[in-house]
Amino acid sequence: MAQVLEFRLPDLGEGLTEAMIVRWLVEVGEVVVVDQLVVEVETAKAMVDVPCPYGGVVTARFGEEGAELPVGAPLLTVAVGASADGESDEGSDEGSGNVLVGYGTGAPPARRRRVRPPDTTGAPASRRPGTPPGTRVEADGVTVAPNGGRDLTRAGGGSAAPSGDGDHTVTEGGYGPGTHTRRPVNGDHGGAATRGDGPVPVISPLVRRLARENGVDLRELEGSGPDGLILRADVEYALRAAATGHARMPAADPLLAPVVGHGPVAPLGAPLSRSPQQPANGVPGSAGTPHGTRVPLRGIRGAVADKLSRSRREIPDATCWVDADATELMRARVRMNDAGGPKISLIALLARICTAALARHPELNSTVDMEAREVVQLDQVHLGFAAQTERGLVVPVVRDAHARDAESLSAEFARLTEAARTGTLTPRELTGGTFTLNNYGVFGVDGSTPIINHPEAAMLGVGRIAPKPWVHQGELAVRQVVQLSLTFDHRVCDGGTAGGFLRYVADCVEQPAVLLRTL
């Protein structure tokens, strides 16, 4: 006899206490297998695909897309103990106990089947319109096509084609990253929606949800991203255009597009628009008080707000800075890349300089334990780097950066940056940093006084590298100049240590050969 088991939102680690449902990957009545991905959720740190530890028939889902659930709240219920065709399904009710992507049971892939409403025509399956030959209908209403109605594709192989009747079930080719294929839900066909003349180029589920909640037809938009990719800024631009009376919803003008992570910039003279979900009067106020729109601080934005506020409350920080001539560093990178092999990124060279400087000044690779009234100097350097994404600011962590060479650092920075862009960073990849490198020069600015990433003790900021007048070898010349800033926790060291660290970094930037003496 089938037993109904309740699957609750699991503890996703790193102290996370809640998650928002981004997209359901299964429907009520659908047959699932152990460790099949059933829901995509967004935590304060990353997007996570959650697999179900039970196999059986989904009998209920709890929470709509966009709803926030606390850890331990019911996600769905599964009737286990018997398969859809009435045969014994031994072992499916035991579950795997695994709840995170990448932790499968090693069981072979199994096809997924979908419960359909009972046919009212009275015709057998073989004669129903659109039913593939060989399809059978079980007594409980489950329609089963040969091979699940498609060419089963295993992990690592191509794609699975839909069945002839349009039932977009898919075959799971495994349960680790990059090995599963998702079933389209509510018109989301994998990474893109569809428009009349082809697929709509949109990847982010958050962009699709923003458009859906505000009634924006993605088929009418032109993306401003690479190859016409529709970004969040494009949807926000369309909302602003609709609010200000513009009939057309074009792609966001690159000259008006915001720095990633900020709201769209209105054209000169355009009135500020409000969210379509807000009332006309916005935030209530007394006479003479400006009205506005309330934006919830939740998800990544809320986590960033909490962490930065805590840093400001607890850390007595100070900042020192210096200009450096980066001409020789840039030339050295060109020569390294011209020599062949994997390309070396600039941030990898800066990271290599950071780890060498921390070896000389370990006080800055530490944390403060106020309860014990101790400064804890850390043996390993787990280097965080600030990355701005459509979902907000994230700080991926390169583990054991001190043990990596420039080539290994380049590869890891590239991998983590891509994962940040696609929203697939795991909680472990977003925590555990001991020092942060902040390359805010990508935003075209020279300097900043960054807020320390609590509970770390310091952060190195790097501005843009730009041609400027510089006295070189006693003569005025145009050189590639960068501003470096170090924000540090004054509890772990005094200005002399911080100045020594920053001066060593600047010396390595100006004369990369200095770094060779520490290798």
Side-chain angles (χ1 to χ4, degrees):
M1 178 179 293
Q3 178 185 9
V4 177
L5 298 180
E6 186 177 74
F7 177 42
R8 297 175 177 269
L9 179 65
D11 182 356
L12 300 174
E14 306 296 344
L16 301 174
T17 59
E18 61 185 9
M20 181 180 69
I21 297 174
V22 175
R23 182 171 61 144
W24 284 104
L25 305 178
V26 294
E27 304 281 2
V28 173
E30 185 169 332
V31 177
V32 297
V33 296
V34 171
D35 281 345
Q36 179 176 318
L37 303 177
V38 293
V39 66
E40 182 179 37
V41 301
E42 178 186 9
T43 71
K45 295 183 180 294
M47 302 281 282
V48 180
D49 289 339
V50 181
C52 179
Y54 309 122
V57 178
V58 177
T59 57
R61 300 186 320 196
F62 300 95
E64 299 297 326
E65 293 179 357
E68 287 191 349
L69 297 179
V71 169
L75 266 181
L76 51 78
T77 54
V78 180
V80 301
S83 63
D85 56 9
E87 298 176 358
S88 175
D89 192 17
E90 296 181 2
S92 64
D93 58 334
E94 296 180 0
S96 69
N98 299 317
V99 293
L100 292 179
V101 175
Y103 292 83
T105 60
R111 66 174 180 247
R112 293 167 57 182
R113 292 173 293 188
R114 183 186 184 95
V115 174
R116 300 181 182 176
D119 178 72
T120 59
T121 65
S126 59
R127 300 208 308 268
R128 292 179 189 170
T131 304
T135 299
R136 69 180 189 276
V137 179
E138 304 297 339
D140 57 2
V142 177
T143 302
V144 183
N147 291 334
R150 59 177 63 247
D151 179 16
L152 298 184
T153 304
R154 300 301 182 191
S159 60
S163 62
D165 60 13
D167 178 25
H168 295 284
T169 54
V170 301
T171 297
E172 297 289 344
Y175 306 104
T179 63
H180 63 271
T181 305
R182 296 181 179 174
R183 179 186 56 78
V185 176
N186 296 335
D188 280 342
H189 296 272
T194 57
R195 53 162 53 119
D197 55 351
V200 176
V202 55
I203 296 176
S204 171
L206 297 181
V207 172
R208 292 195 294 271
R209 180 161 59 86
L210 179 64
R212 181 171 64 251
E213 290 178 350
N214 292 281
V216 175
D217 189 347
L218 291 172
R219 294 171 296 182
E220 301 297 327
L221 299 186
E222 297 176 5
S224 62
D227 299 321
L229 182 67
I230 296 176
L231 307 177
R232 179 175 180 173
D234 299 320
V235 178
E236 291 174 337
Y237 186 89
L239 292 174
R240 186 178 72 249
T244 55
H246 295 288
R248 183 172 175 270
M249 294 191 291
D253 189 327
L255 296 179
L256 300 180
V259 173
V260 178
H262 297 271
V265 180
L268 185 64
L272 294 176
S273 62
R274 66 179 186 273
S275 167
Q277 298 177 326
Q278 294 291 334
N281 62 343
V283 179
S286 59
T289 302
H291 293 76
T293 299
R294 292 185 179 271
V295 179
L297 278 175
R298 62 183 185 182
I300 279 190
R301 189 71 261 159
V304 169
D306 292 340
K307 191 152 194 173
L308 297 184
S309 298
R310 183 178 183 184
S311 178
R312 274 289 188 242
R313 285 195 309 268
E314 298 184 9
I315 299 178
D317 59 348
T319 302
C320 53
W321 56 89
V322 66
D323 290 341
D325 179 2
T327 305
E328 294 305 320
L329 180 66
M330 302 298 285
R331 288 175 178 171
R333 176 173 175 253
V334 170
R335 288 193 293 268
M336 293 172 71
N337 288 335
D338 287 345
K343 299 298 183 182
I344 304 300
S345 63
L346 179 60
I347 192 173
L349 294 179
L350 294 170
R352 187 68 190 86
I353 292 173
C354 270
T355 58
L358 289 172
R360 296 169 68 94
H361 302 280
E363 299 93 333
L364 294 169
N365 191 56
S366 62
T367 187
V368 177
D369 184 347
M370 286 303 295
E371 290 187 4
R373 299 192 67 80
E374 294 176 341
V375 175
V376 183
Q377 293 187 9
L378 305 169
D379 297 330
Q380 297 173 310
V381 178
H382 299 321
L383 188 66
F385 66 99
Q388 199 76 41
T389 72
E390 284 190 7
R391 300 171 57 242
L393 178 69
V394 294
V395 184
V397 176
V398 177
R399 298 195 173 271
D400 299 317
H402 61 289
R404 296 175 181 265
D405 58 16
E407 182 177 316
S408 174
L409 287 168
S410 294
E412 187 67 355
F413 277 119
R415 184 187 71 82
L416 291 172
T417 299
E418 177 61 17
R421 186 188 68 80
T422 57
T424 56
L425 288 166
T426 65
R428 185 175 185 274
E429 291 170 333
L430 285 165
T431 53
T434 64
F435 186 93
T436 296
L437 176 61
N438 187 353
N439 182 21
Y440 45 74
V442 298
F443 301 122
V445 297
D446 294 322
S448 175
T449 55
I451 300 176
I452 295 174
N453 188 22
H454 183 280
E456 298 170 15
M459 175 185 293
L460 177 68
V462 181
R464 63 172 180 161
I465 299 177
K468 294 181 180 180
W470 189 266
V471 176
H472 176 66
Q473 296 179 350
E475 296 183 357
L476 188 63
V478 176
R479 305 286 285 181
Q480 299 294 319
V481 179
V482 62
Q483 185 179 101
L484 306 170
S485 64
L486 177 71
T487 298
F488 64 99
D489 186 338
H490 227 313
R491 296 173 298 178
V492 306
C493 69
D494 294 324
T497 299
F501 174 94
L502 189 58
R503 186 64 257 172
Y504 177 80
V505 170
D507 289 345
C508 290
V509 168
E510 293 186 338
Q511 303 175 53
V514 171
L515 185 61
L516 297 177
R517 292 201 296 265
T518 65
L519 298 179

